[in-house]
Amino acid sequence: MLDLIIRGARLAGSADKLSDIAIKDGKIVDVSASVKAEAIDEYDAAGYLVSAPFVDSHFHMDSTLTRGRPRVNESGTLLEGIALWGELKPLLDAKDIKTRAHELCRWAIAKGNLAIRSHVDICDPELLAVDALLEVVEEVKPYLDLQLVAFPQDGFLRDPKAKEQLIRALDKGVHVVGGIPHFERSMADGSTSIDELCRLAADRGLRVDMHCDESDDPLSRHVEMLAQKTVEFGLHGRVAGSHLTSMHSMDNYYVSKLIPLMMEAELHVVANPLINITLQARHDTYPKRRGMTRVKELAEAGLNVAYGHDCVMDPWYSMGSHDMLEVASMGLHVGQMTGQAEMREAFRAVTSNGAKVLGLDGYGTEVGCHADLVILQARDEIEALRLRPTRLAVFRRGKKIATSPEQISTVFMGDKSFPVDFTI
Ligand code: FE2
């Protein structure tokens, strides 16, 4: 006897046909045109799109949902955001951090996002956010995978306490080594920080995810060093470069040398379209650069490119509802990736590509994967990107953990009424 059969599913990647998905003990045990076995429960997907969950590859859980505290970012700029975070940090306590993190996780689940990699600022000597979020990791584990990155926001070398505190955060159980080389005092210090942080990760068998070259400086070279150290320490496929916005402005000849090095290192690329498009190129008049990394070229070269939300209602970004389809939609618009294959790649950037960044086990919709699934009110990935539709149901290990009613508007014209669901 099966636990659950989801019938009439259009699976992401093969949405041209209907499939049944059989689930037992939290795992997918069969995917076929018609599952004949009996199950304790059945769910009718009614021909709607069924996907493995969305993955947010880059987030900041410690600052999320603080909008307005102690004041709003009036200018919307990065610099006012950093100043605001400095004002806010002393006001935070563990209870507040946990309450906001749990609220954001509920938003994520309702949107079908069941894996989040969050950076956590380790520059507070008490490591308040580290302790609070490590508790949240365990508390939300039945519902979503929350992975933490030890992030030295004030600089690994620039802040004299950061090195000791980052190591303490890793000792406590933070999963991934972070960094911010472009925020160190000099390019040389940035390189030293990359060397030390990659060495630390290699010694401990950990992954690396650095805020890297998050600037408009065409001569910023930290991603080159990150790739080189990845190769030197044998961390191939275990290192992510987040943001990489300076690549947007780099010389094309240099990039033609850089991308093969990134390929050799099997570097993951995490772009954050919502934030990159708003915070970058603020010094430009016109023409105004877009500031997002070269997603199209990096993906075409064969690198794994994923998208992150980065911020939701915090000092840097007043907007957002943690909808990864909004992120992917912005990404494909900014990157001019409106080709059919490119749009399907944008969907993967917030699903399976993100799972590779996080190194998730058992992710997907094949037999043997965890029964973590999202049913969307759309017929394929491109329609999902266009509509950012209702998540009708969200399953975790075969158990329903979120539902939303189908959205159909009714328009009244004269004595007639018309249903509208924005499809043709
Ligand atoms: Fe970030």
Side-chain angles (χ1 to χ4, degrees):
M1 176 73 89
L2 298 168
D3 294 326
L4 173 68
I5 301 171
I6 297 175
R7 295 204 185 273
R10 275 181 212 280
L11 283 166
S14 56
D16 53 336
K17 60 172 196 242
L18 298 182
S19 303
D20 289 352
I21 305 165
I23 292 159
K24 189 168 176 59
D25 298 331
K27 293 257 169 81
I28 296 171
V29 293
D30 189 13
V31 179
S32 56
S34 178
V35 171
K36 300 281 185 249
E38 284 194 16
I40 296 165
D41 200 6
E42 292 207 2
Y43 179 91
D44 181 9
Y48 280 132
L49 181 66
V50 177
S51 170
F54 295 107
V55 178
D56 182 354
S57 299
H58 187 112
F59 195 64
H60 292 266
M61 197 67 93
D62 45 4
S63 57
T64 195
L65 307 186
T66 56
R67 183 181 182 274
R69 289 200 247 162
R71 57 186 179 84
V72 293
N73 183 338
E74 290 290 351
S75 65
T77 58
L78 174 63
L79 288 181
E80 189 174 344
I82 291 169
L84 198 46
W85 180 232
E87 293 169 35
L88 180 59
K89 264 203 277 192
L91 308 176
L92 299 179
D93 64 41
K95 187 164 170 283
D96 172 59
I97 294 167
K98 286 187 66 174
T99 302
R100 286 184 289 100
H102 276 285
E103 183 66 27
L104 193 284
C105 287
R106 287 190 286 273
W107 293 18
I109 291 164
K111 294 288 188 189
N113 315 331
L114 301 190
I116 303 171
R117 174 179 277 184
S118 172
H119 296 252
V120 51
D121 187 354
I122 55 85
C123 291
D124 149 39
E126 291 179 52
L127 295 180
L128 212 62
V130 167
D131 287 333
L133 291 181
L134 280 168
E135 286 179 25
V136 174
V137 167
E138 293 304 316
E139 289 158 2
V140 301
K141 206 171 250 174
Y143 314 104
L144 65 81
D145 296 303
L146 176 59
Q147 198 177 74
L148 298 180
V149 184
F151 175 47
Q153 172 92 60
D154 301 333
F156 182 65
L157 300 174
R158 193 171 200 159
D159 178 346
K161 307 177 302 305
K163 196 179 293 188
E164 181 266 323
Q165 283 165 206
L166 189 138
I167 289 169
R168 208 146 47 87
L170 297 177
D171 287 343
K172 282 172 179 280
V174 170
H175 313 101
V176 179
V177 177
I180 185 164
H182 57 272
F183 194 68
E184 304 295 351
R185 287 190 181 86
S186 63
M187 196 65 94
D189 270 9
S191 297
T192 306
S193 78
I194 293 169
D195 177 67
E196 290 191 24
L197 289 161
C198 285
R199 194 183 297 270
L200 199 57
D203 288 348
R204 292 173 174 244
L206 297 176
R207 287 173 178 260
V208 176
D209 188 337
M210 290 197 197
H211 285 65
C212 193
D213 294 333
E214 188 183 0
S215 76
D216 300 313
D217 178 1
L219 297 176
S220 199
R221 294 289 183 258
H222 297 302
V223 62
E224 178 187 88
M225 184 58 70
L226 185 62
Q228 190 201 308
K229 290 294 166 185
T230 300
V231 172
E232 185 180 325
F233 290 114
L235 289 165
H236 302 76
R238 298 174 62 79
V239 176
S242 277
H243 292 290
L244 307 184
T245 52
S246 66
M247 284 191 75
H248 186 98
S249 302
M250 282 175 184
D251 173 69
N252 289 327
Y253 177 77
Y254 172 69
V255 171
S256 75
K257 277 181 63 193
L258 176 62
I259 290 180
L261 175 63
M262 294 167 73
M263 286 288 293
E264 186 188 349
E266 298 165 42
L267 213 64
H268 300 281
V269 173
V270 181
N272 299 289
L274 294 172
I275 306 304
N276 297 154
I277 196 71
T278 47
L279 293 184
Q280 298 312 131
R282 286 280 185 146
H283 296 288
D284 290 4
T285 53
Y286 287 94
K288 214 183 246 296
R289 286 168 290 174
R290 296 180 178 207
M292 192 170 76
T293 195
R294 302 185 184 210
V295 170
K296 192 169 178 162
E297 290 77 2
L298 291 163
E300 277 172 6
L303 283 148
N304 182 50
V305 183
Y307 287 146
H309 206 304
D310 206 359
C311 306
V312 171
M313 299 184 76
D314 71 4
W316 294 274
Y317 189 63
S318 300
M319 312 287 284
S321 59
H322 209 255
D323 185 346
M324 293 311 295
L325 282 172
E326 186 183 2
V327 174
S329 174
M330 179 61 80
L332 74 88
H333 283 87
V334 177
Q336 298 181 326
M337 296 176 70
T338 45
Q340 301 297 302
E342 289 169 339
M343 288 195 280
R344 282 190 282 273
E345 182 63 22
F347 191 89
R348 285 193 290 274
V350 291
T351 52
S352 53
N353 292 3
K356 288 180 201 159
V357 175
L358 271 67
L360 296 179
D361 289 325
Y363 178 91
T365 54
E366 297 85 37
V367 171
C369 292
H370 292 304
D372 297 352
L373 297 162
V374 186
I375 288 91
L376 296 121
Q377 192 186 337
R379 304 284 172 185
D380 60 30
E381 298 97 310
I382 293 173
E383 191 168 275
L385 287 161
R386 180 174 69 84
L387 296 176
R388 302 191 288 281
T390 301
R391 279 59 162 179
L392 299 166
V394 181
F395 292 89
R396 169 81 165 175
R397 309 296 195 251
K399 290 201 173 63
K400 201 188 294 170
I401 59 168
T403 61
S404 302
E406 201 172 358
Q407 298 284 306
I408 298 173
S409 302
T410 305
V411 174
F412 303 101
M413 298 178 99
D415 58 356
K416 288 192 177 139
S417 64
F418 300 86
V420 174
D421 67 357
F422 305 98
T423 63
I424 52 173

